[in-house]
Amino acid sequence: MIRKAEVSDIFYIVRLENQVFNQSLGKSFLLQELTENVFSHYYVYEMNKVIIGYIGFRVFDEQAEMMNFLIDPNYQNDGLGTELLAYCINELEKLKVSTIMLEVRKSNKKAQHVYEKLGFKISHTRKKYYENEDGYVLVKEVNA
């Protein structure tokens, strides 16, 4: 089930971030995003009452920028990431978003495949965006 993220989900999101990325945006950042930032839109993928993935966007006017996106490694390659992202694209279209942007590591071919499948295109490269690795900026134009 995909649903809006709640404050009670933060512990599980941080744990997943540390597991997948070896770092986290942090509890205080996520708390602020979920309770104070009117531009934030976060969703979780819950299976059997366990959060197995999440995605976050900030929406400004007609543009959305992805903050973070992950699926528990035990559930990757099952189409759940594609399902979660497609759900969010639909939600963003309801908010009249016309452009969605994100950054992805140049080495993260698995994520790039998901983004490409859903219509994202490489806009440009940001040198050393991830400390010692370049990042691609991907953009998707949507019909709002």
Side-chain angles (χ1 to χ4, degrees):
M1 165 179 76
I2 298 170
R3 62 172 174 77
K4 283 196 167 232
E6 302 169 355
V7 170
S8 60
D9 299 327
I10 292 174
F11 170 81
Y12 304 100
I13 291 170
V14 168
R15 188 170 68 183
L16 272 174
E17 285 179 328
N18 284 321
Q19 178 185 355
V20 174
F21 301 134
N22 293 319
Q23 62 184 20
S24 172
L25 294 174
K27 292 175 188 172
S28 59
F29 176 87
L30 290 165
L31 180 63
Q32 191 269 336
E33 288 288 279
L34 294 179
T35 60
E36 298 175 26
N37 190 338
V38 296
F39 302 108
S40 294
H41 300 268
Y42 282 72
Y43 298 87
V44 294
Y45 199 121
E46 187 177 49
M47 185 179 287
N48 301 320
K49 300 187 184 206
V50 175
I51 293 173
I52 59 156
Y54 96 102
I55 192 168
F57 290 92
R58 284 186 178 168
V59 176
F60 300 97
D61 300 321
E62 296 177 356
Q63 295 186 349
E65 183 175 358
M66 183 185 292
M67 301 303 294
N68 230 353
F69 175 33
L70 64 80
I71 296 291
D72 182 318
N74 297 315
Y75 295 92
Q76 290 180 3
N77 302 315
D78 292 337
L80 303 179
T82 301
E83 184 182 345
L84 178 56
L85 181 55
Y87 177 91
C88 289
I89 290 169
N90 186 54
E91 292 298 302
L92 293 170
E93 287 176 334
K94 291 177 189 175
L95 296 172
K96 306 293 186 216
V97 166
S98 60
T99 305
I100 305 170
M101 292 180 21
L102 62 94
E103 290 88 14
V104 63
R105 288 179 185 275
K106 196 172 180 178
S107 65
N108 192 344
K109 302 299 182 194
K110 195 182 290 189
Q112 290 172 38
H113 176 72
V114 171
Y115 299 137
E116 183 180 299
K117 191 169 26 172
L118 291 173
F120 286 84
K121 306 275 188 230
I122 295 175
S123 168
H124 58 281
T125 301
R126 288 195 173 148
K127 297 287 184 194
K128 306 280 188 216
Y129 183 75
Y130 296 97
E131 294 179 27
N132 60 354
E133 184 176 357
D134 294 347
Y136 290 132
V137 175
L138 277 64
V139 176
K140 177 178 175 66
E141 302 295 332
V142 293
N143 300 321

